[in-house]
Each structure stands twice: as C-alpha cells, then as structure tokens.
Amino acid sequence: MTEPLLDPDSSREYLRDWKGRVDRAAAATQAMADRLGDLRISAVDGNGLVEVTIDSGGVLIDVRFTERIQRVAPDVVSRAVMTAMGIARRKVAALSKEIIDETLGPGSAAGRVIEDRLRGGVDE
C-alpha cells in the first residue's frame, strides 16, 4: 500500500523532521566515535607480573612488567601477558557497548554493526 502524497507544507515539515533526525544521529555517532577513540583500558594479570593497556580496537598501546617477572620462567610471563590482554579486551568490549548504547541507544542497528566490528578486534 502506498502512502498518499503530502501537500507542500506537510512535505516541508516532513523533510525538516527527517533532517533533524539525521542531524541528531550524526551528532550521536560523532560523540560515540570521539569517546571510543579516547578509550584506553589497562589490566593486570592475576599474579601482578604484567600490566597491559589497549585501545577500543584491542590494539596494544603499552605493556609494563613488574620486578616479579625476574623470579618466574619466561613462559609464565608470556601467559601473564596473554591473561592481562584477555582481561583488558573483555573490559573494553563491555565499556564500548556502554558507550554505544548511551550514544546510539540500546538495540540500535547501527550500534550492533559497530559492536560487531569492534568485537572482531577484541574477541578472546
């Protein structure tokens, strides 16, 4: 079923409303992008050997080792790095979802696409 044609005044009002929705969506998307761009998460492994910092895409920004690594085997340090990365990635996924929900609204189709793309970089 097709909708009836709008009169000129109704058409202008419809277009103003549509433009307002588009402008609000663009502003929300920009706010979300800014917040995600600034997101940095740090996490420490359970033994306190290493601290890692990642960005919203799961990219390693920094890694710091404590003096405790001198008392453990290299493979233990490797596992500690991977454990800390996993913790940080879970945190960043949760915080990214919060940011997306706050800016685009929970259940937003665009938000789901963005979450899926981010999850590609931070899945365990």
Side-chain angles (χ1 to χ4, degrees):
M1 183 166 134
T2 60
E3 293 186 27
L5 292 175
L6 299 174
D7 62 76
D9 289 335
S10 296
S11 295
R12 281 189 211 68
E13 184 177 333
Y14 174 83
L15 288 174
R16 271 193 303 274
D17 289 346
W18 177 81
K19 183 181 181 318
R21 287 190 307 272
V22 169
D23 289 346
R24 285 188 299 278
T29 301
Q30 185 60 55
M32 178 205 58
D34 291 345
R35 288 178 66 188
L36 288 174
D38 292 340
L39 187 61
R40 301 290 182 267
I41 296 295
S42 295
V44 179
D45 73 293
N47 295 316
L49 298 174
V50 64
E51 177 183 34
V52 298
T53 302
I54 63 172
D55 67 10
S56 63
V59 175
L60 183 64
I61 302 296
D62 190 27
V63 61
R64 296 182 185 270
F65 300 98
T66 66
E67 290 180 12
R68 296 182 70 201
I69 67 165
Q70 297 172 8
R71 296 185 293 262
V72 297
D75 64 317
V76 173
V77 176
S78 295
R79 284 194 305 274
V81 169
M82 297 310 291
T83 297
M85 285 290 293
I87 294 167
R89 286 178 169 171
R90 286 187 292 280
K91 285 182 182 179
V92 89
L95 285 173
S96 295
K97 181 170 179 16
E98 285 180 28
I99 290 169
I100 291 166
D101 287 349
E102 287 172 8
T103 53
L104 300 182
S108 159
R112 283 192 303 275
V113 170
I114 294 165
E115 283 179 54
D116 288 345
R117 286 196 177 148
L118 287 174
R119 200 174 304 119
V122 297
D123 270 345
E124 298 173 59

